[in-house]
């Protein structure tokens, strides 16, 4: 049909198939990333049927990379990194070095160039943020020592990859000449230094000020647009004015914005668009994958998977043990790092576009990522089942590392600890209530301490967390998250588990009020309605006083 343009066809085909394959992957209890990649393979040139426009997909993927890196910067926590710096910084650097050398050795055996082997090894060395955090959240260990070390380790890996994305194009431009390469690297480092100085001196003042002024307009649409303009505008300006990558510009935009008190709201407002373009990024990566690599290069593929699952894991385990941590901690970190994801795809795409990495290298990275993400939950299951035998009695982490048990009965469960939830928890704790907080975000820095309230990290809509919070024996449930659909699922499951439970939920419209009540909420509180009621109450008070 003539009115179906390549752009519309690529976006619609990518998102629809990503939804279908992602939903299937979720039902099979594997990461939806696998589904997104399979959707890309389905619309790619190496499989029969509809073929999406590759060049358009790559441009959409570039926006996805910008928003992904903006999200990394937005959630970058210097505090979390500094808390575990003594093990996370040297540990991550050594592990990256070991994995890169193993990848270079495999590349050398296959006859690739040294720089091609370097890019290949580097892509195998970095774990997926999405997969790692999901694994930690499902086991509720993000806020434990093991979880904090793993997150700090991941932050270091991300920083190294950001630097690599800047330097690899410079190495490609510099060519084989030593003097030419040194000059190119010096110019690149100078440009990066100028951009960082500009962001720290100018951006650090202008960006939070601009966001603050926009927030005072009271327009949600304008605020959302301002955040996107900052992310895309800084990334584009960094590339045009300073000659650095979109990725670095977006990362610093997020990092500067993270210092603003409005950073949490900025993350919430831009999350849907970030997720949508991130999905298109994974679809575009899948389009590049040639499934024939599985039958044409089975031994190199096996070696690639072994480097990811075994080589990286052994290196991480030995490093953590060398720093005096328990076997339990070492096993958790080693297993959480035994996969690759977003940065690996970005490096593979970059290396291939610069003609540094051969097509088979790119395909091995993508196949290794798919297999490692599928196998990672299995590794965690094995650790959960046999970890006690491997660690031995008395060799586990200190008892204080694990969250304490919830009160047996009569406690209050709070889902969501954002702007509303934090006020609710402070009020409940202030009057002596026993509170269990369920929060989906992995950053626990703003949550109450474990001695004051019990903390569970993960998605309450999944159901298991409600059972872990002893919802059957709770007295009240407060659902303070802004997403009404997810809140409805939580309310419905909580009501099924505890018919006598009193449930108070948050809403933004009359339709949401009806939706939440239909799913079992005893009372729904809508901000606009409560504000109006308070104003009317104030007016009535004035009238009674004779004014």
């Amino acid at each position: 049909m003539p009115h179906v343009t390549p752009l519309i066809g690529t976006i619609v085909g990518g998102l629809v198939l990503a939804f279908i394959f992602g939903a299937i992957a979720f039902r099979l209890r594997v990461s939806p990333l696998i589904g997104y990649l399979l959707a890309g393979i389905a619309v790619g040139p190496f499989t029969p049927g509809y073929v999406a426009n590759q060049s358009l997909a790559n441009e959409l993927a570039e926006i996805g990379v910008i928003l992904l890196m903006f999200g990394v910067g937005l959630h970058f926590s210097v505090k979390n990194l500094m808390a575990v710096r003594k093990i996370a910084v040297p540990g991550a650097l050594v592990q990256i070095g070991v994995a890169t050398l193993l990848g270079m050795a495999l590349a050398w055996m296959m006859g690739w160039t040294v720089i091609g082997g370097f890019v290949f090894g580097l892509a195998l060395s970095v774990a997926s943020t999405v997969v790692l955090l999901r694994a930690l959240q499902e086991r509720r260990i993000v806020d434990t020592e093991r979880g904090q070390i793993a997150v700090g380790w991941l932050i270091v890996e991300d920083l190294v990859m950001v630097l690599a994305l800047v330097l690899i194009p410079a190495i490609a431009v510099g060519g084989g000449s030593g003097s030419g390469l040194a000059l190119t690297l010096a110019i690149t480092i100078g440009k990066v230094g100028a951009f960082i100085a500009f962001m720290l001196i100018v951006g650090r003042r202008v960006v939070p000020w601009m966001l603050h002024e926009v927030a005072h307009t009271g327009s949600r649409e304008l605020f959302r647009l301002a955040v996107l303009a900052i992310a895309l505008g800084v990334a584009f300006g960094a590339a045009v004015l300073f000659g650095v990558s979109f990725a670095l510009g977006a990362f610093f935009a997020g990092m500067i914005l993270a210092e603003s008190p409005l950073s949490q709201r900025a993350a919430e407002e831009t999350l849907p668009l970030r997720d949508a373009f991130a999905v298109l990024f994974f679809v575009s990566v899948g389009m590049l994958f040639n499934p024939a690599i599985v039958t044409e290069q089975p031994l190199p593929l096996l070696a690639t998977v072994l480097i990811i699952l075994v080589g990286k894991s052994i290196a991480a385990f030995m490093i953590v043990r060398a720093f005096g941590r328990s076997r339990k901690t070492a096993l958790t970190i080693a297993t959480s790092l035994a996969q690759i994801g977003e940065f690996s795809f970005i490096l593979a795409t970059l290396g291939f576009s610069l003609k540094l990495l051969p097509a088979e290298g790119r395909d091995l990275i993508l196949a290794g990522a798919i297999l490692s993400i599928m196998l990672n939950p299995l590794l965690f299951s094995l650790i959960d089942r046999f970890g006690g035998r491997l660690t031995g009695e008395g060799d586990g982490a200190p008892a204080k590392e694990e969250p304490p048990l919830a009160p047996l009965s009569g406690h209050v469960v709070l889902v969501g600890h954002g702007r509303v939830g934090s006020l609710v928890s402070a009020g409940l704790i202030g009057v002596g209530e026993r509170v269990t907080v369920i929060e989906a975000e992995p950053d626990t820095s703003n949550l109450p301490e474990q001695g004051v309230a019990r903390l569970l990290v993960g998605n309450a809509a999944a159901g298991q967390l409600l059972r872990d919070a002893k919802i059957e024996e709770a007295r009240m449930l407060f659902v303070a998250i802004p997403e009404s659909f997810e809140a409805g699922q939580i309310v419905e499951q909580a009501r099924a588990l505890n018919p006598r439970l009193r449930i108070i939920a948050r809403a933004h419209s009359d339709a949401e009020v009806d939706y939440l009540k239909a799913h079992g909420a005893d009372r729904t509180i809508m901000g606009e309605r409560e504000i109006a009621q308070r104003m009317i109450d104030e007016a009535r008070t004035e009238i009674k006083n004779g004014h």
Side-chain angles (χ1 to χ4, degrees), residues 74 143 194 271 290 299 329 342 347-348 365 381 384 392 441 527 536:
L74 199 57
D143 56 335
L271 185 60
N290 185 358
L299 293 180
T329 298
E342 308 90 84
L347 285 170
I365 292 171
S381 298
D384 293 340
E441 288 296 321
I536 294 171

Side-chain angles (χ1 to χ4, degrees), residues 205-385:
R205 293 172 173 82
V206 173
V207 170
W209 169 82
M210 184 175 72
L211 204 62
H212 179 78
E213 292 298 316
V214 172
H216 274 281
T217 66
S219 170
R220 187 174 183 178
E221 293 81 6
L222 197 58
F223 182 85
R224 185 183 296 121
L225 186 61
V227 176
L228 293 173
I230 290 170
L232 298 174
V234 171
F236 185 78
V240 173
L241 301 178
F242 294 92
V244 301
S245 66
F246 287 130
L248 182 65
F251 174 78
F252 263 88
M255 198 168 68
I256 294 297
L257 195 57
E259 299 180 1
S260 168
L262 297 168
S263 60
Q264 185 173 354
R265 182 183 170 191
E268 292 173 356
E269 294 290 347
T270 58
L271 185 60
L273 194 63
R274 280 194 287 138
D275 284 348
F277 276 98
V279 167
L280 289 175
F281 163 70
F282 293 121
V283 170
S284 73
V285 170
M287 290 177 64
L288 298 172
F289 177 64
N290 185 358
I293 194 74
V294 177
T295 56
E296 294 176 357
Q297 300 280 357
L299 293 180
L301 176 57
L302 177 62
T304 301
V305 174
L306 289 176
I307 290 173
I308 299 169
L309 297 182
V310 181
K312 286 174 60 179
S313 298
I314 292 176
F317 181 87
M318 294 179 66
I319 293 166
V320 175
R321 290 291 288 158
F323 277 89
R325 294 307 197 276
S326 68
R327 292 178 188 171
K328 185 176 183 180
T329 298
L331 278 173
T332 300
I333 294 171
T335 307
S336 65
L337 297 171
Q339 37 79 19
I340 60 175
E342 308 90 84
F343 271 112
S344 304
F345 303 149
I346 296 172
L347 285 170
T349 305
L350 178 65
F352 180 73
S353 66
L354 295 173
K355 295 182 172 53
L356 300 176
L357 187 69
E360 59 182 337
R362 177 198 62 196
D363 292 338
L364 286 174
I365 292 171
L366 299 182
I370 293 172
L371 292 174
S372 66
I373 292 174
M374 292 179 66
L375 293 173
N376 193 253
L378 176 61
L379 294 179
F380 265 109
S381 298
L382 293 174
I383 293 299
D384 293 340
R385 178 172 296 184

Side-chain angles (χ1 to χ4, degrees), residues 115 119 166-176 181 184-185 350-351 353-356:
I115 184 60
V119 174
V166 174
L167 296 181
I168 288 175
I171 294 174
V173 173
L181 178 60
T184 303
L185 286 176
L350 178 65
S353 66
L354 295 173
K355 295 182 172 53
L356 300 176

Side-chain angles (χ1 to χ4, degrees), residues 135-201:
L136 298 181
Q137 288 170 357
E138 287 178 348
R139 286 154 185 83
R140 303 179 303 283
I141 57 175
V142 173
D143 56 335
T144 65
E145 183 194 33
R146 292 176 287 155
Q148 291 301 310
I149 292 173
V151 171
W153 198 296
L154 190 66
I155 290 172
V156 177
E157 287 189 347
D158 288 351
L159 289 175
V160 172
M161 295 308 130
V162 169
L163 182 63
L165 292 176
V166 174
L167 296 181
I168 288 175
I171 294 174
V173 173
S177 170
S179 58
L181 178 60
L183 178 62
T184 303
L185 286 176
I187 294 173
T188 301
I189 293 172
K191 290 180 178 179
V192 171
F195 170 69
I196 293 175
F198 176 81
M199 288 300 294
L200 293 178
I201 296 171

Side-chain angles (χ1 to χ4, degrees), residues 64-141:
V65 171
I66 291 173
L67 295 177
L68 272 173
M69 294 303 301
F70 177 69
V72 171
L74 199 57
H75 291 98
F76 176 75
S77 173
V78 177
K79 178 183 176 182
N80 288 347
L81 177 58
M82 295 305 291
V84 293
R85 67 187 183 281
K86 292 182 180 179
I87 181 173
V89 174
L93 293 177
V94 172
Q95 180 253 305
I96 289 173
V98 171
T100 302
L101 289 174
L102 290 173
M104 291 180 71
L106 177 59
W108 174 77
M109 287 189 287
M110 297 183 67
W112 302 350
T113 63
V114 174
I115 184 60
F118 176 75
V119 174
F120 179 72
L122 204 59
L124 301 185
S125 70
V126 57
S128 165
T129 302
V130 175
V131 175
L132 186 146
L133 288 178
R134 181 184 177 190
L136 298 181
Q137 288 170 357
E138 287 178 348
R139 286 154 185 83
R140 303 179 303 283
I141 57 175

Side-chain angles (χ1 to χ4, degrees), residues 497-515:
L497 292 170
N498 186 349
R500 299 186 306 274
L501 183 68
R502 179 163 174 77
I503 302 176
I504 296 93
R506 168 186 177 184
H508 295 284
S509 66
D510 291 331
E512 290 184 9
V513 169
D514 295 338
Y515 170 78

